[in-house]
């Protein structure tokens, strides 16, 4: 099989994109790291300036200051929708990080190990099994709550809190919902695994189970199946642990990301489905970029473009389908937009419209829902202090909004905000919108 060679100077291929920046500065106010650090080199404009200097050979890709300001970028892409020139910041950032990596820049050890594991399905599945065992002991929950309420939790305590935040717990505002959810899992019918005989392609959609979602949020994946089928489609699940490559691309490991993308493309083609759905905003955003990632691959170029055109975030797909009724729920629910849903895919009103179909549910968007919570893939591992400061601000908004339950559609955000609430002992339940809707659907059907 023909494979394109690894680009030796990846930023040179991005010069056209870099030149579209006209230095107007409209993006500065949208950038969380510029707001926090106040340094032009930590703004989109400043980073683009540094990238252009590397692309034009005026600065070494291995320069320490280049690495620092790239690493401090969240990759949240909040700078893209506001840019009048249409600079594709997310894509050039990935190439810049690849250039930095090829020049000998190294990622944090923990981050590097996590990426290696995500690339190997068997290793990853073993890791998830161990983490689920650890989670079942409730030790992570005890560790999360053991420290001081104020101040920044240490790395280990926060990691344990993130794991604890993925558990099903029937507490707080969502107690009733989480009990109903068990019935959702039991009532699954009509779903099939990839490789089994599948229903006609006409009504068949493929679900990407993902890596973190299939490892720690399996109940959300089951809820997604239930909800999609209730909206008239049959589902086929792509293999659990199939990673879309988003984390690798964001870290500049583009060859690994492309290899993972090819696997997703092949699995989707084998499924015979018409559409590909994901319930993770980071995955849907990445798959929409496959056409770009594989544009120089003669074997996969067209296949990647096809998959990019056929992938939908589940929220985007659900809102286009009407007629489903939900049981009423008296609750004031906060909503926080995942960056890769809002900025990368420009999906803004759809989650609110979808949740708005639940009778009596009052949905309140957080005041700065467009601001990153600090999760940003492996950012929490690589830049814990900045990540925690963004989280502190997010939790202050939760308080300001006066909500005790919050919906958000990305595993990183669910874990980050959930862990923040646990370590600070805040009365806050964090839930994926799909999980909430599936439980109400079940309640509606049975009631
Ligand atoms: S808004 Fe766009 S064109 Fe203006 S400085 Fe920012 S990236 Fe450059
Ligand atoms: S991706 Fe986010 S953090 Fe990075 S420059 Fe753009 S707005 Fe700032």
């Amino acid at each position: 099989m023909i494979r394109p060679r690894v680009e030796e100077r990846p930023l040179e291929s991005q010069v056209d994109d870099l030149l579209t920046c006209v230095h107007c500065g409209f993006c500065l106010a949208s950038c969380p790291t510029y707001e926090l650090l106040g340094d032009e080199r930590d703004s989109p404009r400043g980073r683009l300036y540094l990238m252009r200097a590397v692309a034009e050979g005026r600065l070494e890709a291995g320069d320490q200051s280049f690495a620092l300001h790239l690493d401090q970028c969240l990759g949240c892409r909040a700078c893209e929708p506001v840019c009048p020139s249409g600079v594709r910041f997310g894509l050039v950032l990935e190439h810049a990080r690849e250039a930095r990596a090829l020049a000998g820049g190294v990622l944090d050890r923990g981050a590097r190990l996590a990426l290696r594991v995500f690339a190997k399905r068997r290793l990853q599945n073993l890791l998830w099994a161990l983490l689920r065992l650890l989670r079942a002991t409730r030790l992570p929950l005890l560790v999360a709550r053991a420290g001081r309420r104020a101040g920044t939790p240490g790395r280990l305590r926060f990691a344990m809190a993130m794991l604890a935040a993925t558990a099903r717990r029937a507490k707080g505002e969502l107690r009733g919902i989480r009990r109903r959810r068990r019935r959702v899992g039991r009532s699954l019918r009509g779903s099939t695994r990839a490789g089994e005989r599948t229903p006609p392609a006409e009504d068949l959609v493929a679900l990407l189970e993902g890596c973190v979602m299939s490892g720690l949020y399996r109940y959300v994946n089951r809820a997604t199946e239930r909800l999609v089928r209730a909206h008239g489609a049959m589902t086929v699940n792509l293999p659990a642990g199939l990673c879309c490559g988003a984390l690798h691309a964001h870290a500049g490991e583009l060859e690994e990301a492309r290899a993972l993308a090819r696997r997703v493309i092949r699995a989707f083609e084998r499924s015979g489905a018409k559409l590909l759905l994901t319930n993770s905003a980071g995955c849907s955003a990445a798959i929409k970029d496959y056409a770009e990632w594989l544009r120089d691959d003669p074997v996969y170029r067209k296949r990647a473009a096809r998959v990019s055109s056929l992938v939908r975030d589940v929220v985007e797909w659900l809102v286009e389908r009407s007629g489903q009724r939900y049981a009423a729920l008296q609750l004031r629910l906060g909503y926080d937009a995942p960056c890769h849903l809002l900025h990368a895919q420009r999906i803004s009103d759809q989650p609110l419209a979808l949740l708005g179909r639940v009778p009596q549910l009052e949905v309140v968007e957080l005041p700065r829902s467009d601001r990153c919570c600090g999760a940003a893939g492996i950012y929490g591992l690589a830049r814990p202090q900045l990540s925690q400061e963004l989280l502190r601000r997010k939790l202050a908004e939760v308080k300001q909004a006066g909500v005790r339950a919050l919906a958000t559609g990305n595993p990183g955000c669910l874990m980050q905000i959930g862990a923040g609430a646990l370590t600070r002992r805040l009365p806050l339940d964090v839930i994926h919108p799909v999980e909430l809707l599936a439980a109400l659907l079940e309640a509606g059907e049975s009631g």
Side-chain angles (χ1 to χ4, degrees):
M1 186 177 289
I2 306 162
R3 286 269 187 267
R5 69 187 178 86
V6 178
E7 290 176 77
E8 279 159 18
R9 297 184 64 87
L11 262 178
E12 284 187 351
S13 66
Q14 303 302 303
V15 166
D16 286 350
D17 264 310
L18 290 168
L19 288 175
T20 56
C21 174
V22 294
H23 314 297
C24 63
F26 287 169
C27 54
L28 267 60
S30 69
C31 177
T33 57
Y34 182 63
E35 184 180 273
L36 284 183
L37 301 165
D39 185 330
E40 172 77 20
R41 293 167 300 177
D42 283 309
S43 76
R45 182 172 64 183
R47 289 182 177 122
L48 288 165
Y49 185 82
L50 291 172
M51 290 179 207
R52 191 170 157 187
V54 170
E56 293 175 351
R58 289 179 282 112
L59 183 69
E60 288 298 319
D63 182 89
Q64 282 200 342
S65 153
F66 181 62
L68 174 72
H69 299 295
L70 280 190
D71 287 351
Q72 285 182 168
C73 176
L74 293 148
C76 68
R77 296 171 67 173
C79 43
E80 286 188 21
V82 296
C83 174
S85 300
V87 174
R88 300 184 301 173
F89 190 89
L91 286 170
V92 284
L93 176 69
E94 288 166 1
H95 285 84
R97 285 184 169 160
E98 185 179 37
R100 190 273 320 266
L102 291 175
V106 286
L107 279 172
D108 170 276
R109 246 190 325 173
R112 213 169 50 227
L113 181 67
L115 291 178
R116 289 285 93 80
V117 172
F118 283 133
K120 306 272 177 248
R121 258 182 61 210
R122 282 201 187 140
L123 203 55
Q124 192 197 123
N125 288 338
L126 177 67
L127 173 77
W128 297 135
L130 292 173
L131 288 176
R132 284 195 300 269
L133 272 179
L134 177 61
R135 182 176 70 183
T137 65
R138 294 174 68 85
L139 183 67
L141 186 61
L142 293 176
V143 173
R145 288 179 172 157
R148 281 179 300 134
R149 199 186 280 247
T152 306
R155 270 195 194 198
L156 178 67
R157 184 173 161 227
F158 197 75
M160 288 290 122
M162 287 177 87
L163 179 59
T166 65
R168 303 189 210 200
R169 268 188 310 281
K171 289 212 166 192
E173 298 274 339
L174 295 174
R175 186 194 313 242
I177 289 298
R178 293 207 141 133
R179 282 187 183 150
R180 283 174 191 155
R181 187 174 55 199
R182 292 195 189 116
R183 300 211 307 266
V184 176
R186 284 190 209 124
S187 66
L188 278 173
R189 277 185 201 92
S191 180
T192 166
R193 298 262 147 197
E196 292 176 6
R197 210 158 61 81
T198 52
E202 193 67 8
D203 303 315
L204 185 67
V205 298
L207 302 181
L208 181 77
E209 297 225 20
C211 46
V212 181
M213 292 306 290
S214 68
L216 298 174
Y217 285 106
R218 290 197 286 191
Y219 52 90
V220 178
N221 281 349
R222 301 292 82 80
T224 305
E225 289 175 20
R226 176 80 182 92
L227 202 55
V228 170
R229 287 193 296 104
H231 283 77
M234 294 293 283
T235 60
V236 57
N237 293 36
L238 301 192
L242 194 62
C243 173
C244 69
L247 293 175
H248 302 79
H250 301 334
E253 303 219 345
L254 290 187
E255 273 314 295
E256 192 67 69
R258 289 185 190 111
L260 291 167
R262 291 183 192 104
R263 269 166 49 184
V264 171
I265 292 168
R266 289 196 296 272
F268 175 66
E269 289 171 345
R270 277 198 300 273
S271 76
K274 271 179 81 179
L275 274 182
L276 176 59
L277 297 186
T278 87
N279 53 19
S280 160
C283 301
S284 43
I287 298 172
K288 286 178 183 177
D289 282 343
Y290 278 5
E292 271 299 320
W293 291 9
L294 294 168
R295 69 178 182 181
D296 296 326
D297 183 328
V299 177
Y300 279 86
R301 183 190 305 129
K302 280 192 185 153
R303 294 160 72 182
R306 177 172 172 267
V307 175
S308 287
S309 71
L310 293 179
V311 68
R312 302 278 183 281
D313 192 276
V314 68
V315 165
E316 184 184 11
W317 183 83
L318 285 168
V319 85
E320 286 167 7
R321 300 173 83 98
S322 55
Q324 194 57 55
R325 284 174 48 209
Y326 299 101
L329 179 67
Q330 269 195 331
L331 179 73
R332 185 173 158 85
L333 177 76
Y335 174 74
D336 192 50
C339 294
H340 283 84
L341 198 65
L342 180 64
H343 306 310
Q345 302 180 64
R346 321 281 161 97
I347 296 174
S348 52
D349 298 336
Q350 293 91 325
L352 297 165
L354 192 60
L355 290 165
R357 291 180 186 170
V358 176
Q360 297 177 29
L361 181 68
E362 185 190 355
V363 186
V364 187
E365 193 168 8
L366 292 190
R368 293 302 313 270
S369 170
D370 61 331
R371 198 54 117 205
C372 180
C373 64
I378 54 172
Y379 196 82
L381 284 174
R383 298 278 146 194
Q385 281 173 340
L386 289 174
S387 171
Q388 287 294 323
E389 175 54 24
L390 288 165
L391 177 59
R392 189 190 66 72
R393 293 178 184 208
K394 186 63 73 185
L395 292 171
E397 285 171 38
V398 169
K399 268 192 187 168
Q400 195 186 332
V403 294
R404 291 179 162 225
L406 183 81
T408 187
N410 191 55
C413 315
L414 286 164
M415 290 167 86
Q416 172 91 344
I417 302 174
L422 281 178
T423 52
R424 290 161 178 83
R425 281 170 262 167
L426 297 178
L428 180 71
D429 275 326
V430 190
I431 193 166
H432 194 295
V434 158
E435 186 193 351
L436 182 78
L437 292 171
L440 293 170
L441 174 73
E442 181 74 2
E445 283 180 354
S446 63

